[in-house]
């Protein structure tokens, strides 16, 4: 049966809770990749954690069920990309999918020049978002204006380039190319960074390729590809899911007894003894001890544990039930495909 005819079949949706680390393929939008994975898992609720252009590949965490409540954490996370800048030409879109609108000679690219560019583009920057982006202006996405040949005013966004490396690269599509690896804050457009570097070099540039290597602690080596996912049985696909709490696993944790857990899940603040919940923190992961289960997130202020995002009792029941069902997977992976049941200090790595 073909993929197209499979998609037309009515499938039985079901509750699926967890995080799938997908290596997004070239040519698909983030939403297209999400819908394919959602269909393969028969999940009734899903969302992704930040758009990757069709030109881009790499780490795309997909959230299912209860995990969608914590997707904002990944949206806000720092990210690392690898990109190839093709020098000497500007395009309409800032990448290789656009039409060439300007051609200029390329200067000699020396290690000293690259070092100067690295210093110039590291640290806090003001960046004007590209017209070919999903940002809204008067209720319309900027790319809608761009496709009609219109350019509208955009406010500069303040971003941070934490780390940047540049090296001379070889690419037959351009007289000269540069490979960059950049770790940046949320909201950074690598296409725009590439164009700005090209302008600083005096020759213009556009993005030839883009790959996300890391986001919020998740790395490319942990990801599964769509073809691999399609070749798996449903239990094997389920075994690829990380637990919901993997999205908050880098934050401190608190474990509650049965009485406090029940009240916490009702949305009530829990007053503790001095230091009982640890130091003041903007986010902590919260677990119940009886039974061992992830309950949600909270923040700690003046020895009060204040609920933020909570799982519902039904979601907790679904997750506990799924943990009791052994799942065998024949897929060979370089990283664990499942995590132990909820507990303090849980980490996805």
């Amino acid at each position: 049966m073909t993929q197209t005819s499979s998609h037309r079949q009515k499938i039985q949706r079901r509750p699926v809770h967890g995080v799938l680390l997908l290596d997004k393929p070239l040519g698909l939008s983030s939403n297209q990749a999400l819908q394919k994975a959602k269909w393969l898992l028969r999940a009734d609720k899903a969302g992704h954690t930040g758009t990757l252009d069709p030109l881009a590949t790499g780490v795309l965490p997909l959230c299912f069920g209860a995990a969608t409540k914590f997707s904002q954490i990944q949206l806000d996370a720092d990210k690392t990309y690898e990109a190839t800048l093709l020098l000497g030409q500007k395009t309409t879109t800032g990448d290789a999918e656009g039409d060439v609108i300007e051609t200029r000679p390329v200067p000699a690219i020396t290690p000293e020049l690259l070092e100067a560019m690295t210093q110039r583009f590291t640290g806090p920057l003001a960046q004007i978002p590209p017209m070919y982006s999903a940002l809204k202006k008067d209720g319309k996405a900027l790319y809608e204006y761009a496709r009609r040949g219109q350019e509208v005013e955009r406010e500069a966004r303040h971003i941070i380039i934490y780390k940047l490396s540049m090296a001379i690269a070889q690419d037959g599509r351009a007289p000269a190319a540069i490979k960059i690896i950049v770790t940046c804050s949320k909201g950074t457009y690598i296409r725009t960074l590439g164009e700005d570097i090209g302008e600083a070099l005096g020759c213009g540039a556009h993005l030839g390729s883009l790959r996300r290597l890391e986001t919020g602690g998740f790395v490319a080596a942990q990801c599964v590809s769509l073809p691999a996912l399609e070749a798996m049985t449903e239990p094997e696909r389920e075994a690829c899911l990380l637990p919901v709490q993997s999205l908050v696993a880098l934050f401190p944790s608190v474990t509650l007894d049965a009485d406090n857990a029940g009240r916490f899940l009702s949305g009530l603040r829990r007053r503790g003894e001095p230091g009982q919940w640890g130091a003041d923190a903007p986010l902590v992961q919260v677990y119940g001890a009886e039974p061992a289960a992830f309950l949600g997130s909270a923040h700690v202020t003046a020895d009060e544990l204040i609920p933020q995002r909570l799982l519902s009792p039904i979601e907790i029941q679904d997750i506990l039930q799924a943990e009791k069902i052994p799942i065998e997977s024949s897929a060979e992976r370089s990283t664990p495909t499942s995590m132990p049941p909820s507990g303090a200090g849980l980490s996805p790595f």
Side-chain angles (χ1 to χ4, degrees):
M1 183 179 292
T2 66
Q3 184 72 15
T4 301
S5 60
S6 297
H7 273 284
R8 289 173 182 165
Q9 280 192 325
K10 185 71 174 177
I11 62 170
Q12 181 95 23
R13 300 285 182 183
R14 64 200 175 109
V16 175
H17 304 282
V19 181
L20 179 70
L21 300 181
L22 184 71
D23 190 336
K24 191 192 84 64
L26 186 70
L28 290 186
S29 70
S30 293
N31 188 58
Q32 288 171 327
L34 169 68
Q35 295 307 321
K36 284 180 178 289
K38 182 180 178 182
W39 184 85
L40 288 168
L41 283 162
R42 296 192 295 117
D44 59 9
K45 184 178 182 182
H48 61 71
T49 57
T51 302
L52 277 177
D53 293 336
L55 175 74
T57 64
V59 186
L60 182 65
L62 303 179
C63 297
F64 295 90
T68 60
K69 296 179 178 180
F70 306 92
S71 61
Q72 187 64 44
I73 294 168
Q74 276 297 314
L75 287 169
D76 293 340
D78 298 335
K79 298 168 177 63
T80 299
Y81 297 90
E82 180 180 80
T84 301
L85 306 185
L86 303 181
L87 305 182
Q89 291 182 329
K90 292 181 63 175
T91 69
T92 52
T93 58
D95 59 31
E97 294 187 326
D99 298 325
V100 175
I101 55 175
E102 187 178 359
T103 300
R104 284 183 269 173
V106 179
I109 306 300
T110 64
E112 292 77 17
L113 182 57
L114 292 184
E115 178 60 28
M117 291 296 105
T118 299
Q119 295 298 322
R120 178 169 175 174
F121 287 96
T122 301
L125 299 174
Q127 190 180 74
I128 297 177
M131 281 299 302
Y132 278 90
S133 67
L135 287 179
K136 297 290 182 67
K137 174 77 171 182
D138 298 330
K140 294 182 181 179
L142 289 180
Y143 64 77
E144 294 182 60
Y145 294 101
R147 286 171 180 169
R148 294 199 296 264
Q150 296 176 271
E151 182 159 347
V152 298
E153 187 176 347
R154 291 98 70 201
E155 289 187 9
R157 306 173 78 177
H158 296 285
I159 62 164
I160 302 175
I161 305 298
Y162 298 106
K163 187 177 180 181
L164 176 64
S165 65
M166 297 189 190
I168 297 172
Q170 299 296 321
D171 194 300
R173 295 172 292 176
I178 297 173
K179 184 177 83 171
I180 67 171
I181 298 178
V182 54
T183 300
C184 55
S185 64
K186 70 170 183 176
T188 301
Y189 285 94
I190 306 302
R191 278 181 295 151
T192 300
L193 177 64
E195 288 185 306
D196 291 345
I197 291 172
E199 287 304 309
L201 290 170
C203 59
H206 65 275
L207 221 59
S209 65
L210 178 64
R211 180 165 178 78
R212 186 189 282 167
L213 302 177
E214 185 269 343
T215 175
F218 296 124
V219 298
Q222 294 175 280
C223 294
V224 62
S225 69
L226 267 180
L229 204 64
E230 289 171 338
M232 293 177 186
T233 64
E234 191 168 270
E236 288 172 339
R237 292 168 190 154
E238 291 172 356
C240 292
L241 291 172
L242 297 177
V244 173
Q245 60 265 31
S246 64
L247 294 171
V248 294
L250 298 180
F251 296 92
S253 64
V254 170
T255 301
L256 303 177
D257 58 31
D259 181 59
N260 275 315
R263 294 175 184 273
F264 176 81
L265 278 178
S266 298
L268 298 177
R269 300 181 177 206
R270 311 312 304 138
R271 168 68 68 178
E273 299 294 328
Q276 182 175 350
W277 314 129
D280 286 2
L283 193 150
V284 295
Q285 44 181 325
V286 182
Y287 298 88
E290 305 168 17
F294 176 61
L295 307 181
S297 65
H299 64 274
V300 177
T301 303
D303 294 314
E304 270 197 317
L305 185 69
I306 303 169
Q308 290 180 339
R309 297 282 184 177
L310 303 177
L311 273 67
S312 70
I314 292 177
E315 290 169 338
I316 295 172
Q317 182 178 350
D318 287 343
I319 292 168
L320 290 175
Q321 180 62 34
E323 288 175 350
K324 294 178 183 178
I325 302 173
I327 299 174
E328 295 182 358
S329 173
S330 61
E332 294 182 1
R333 291 167 58 84
S334 59
T335 56
T337 56
S338 61
M339 293 166 61
S342 308
L346 201 58
S347 169
F349 308 116

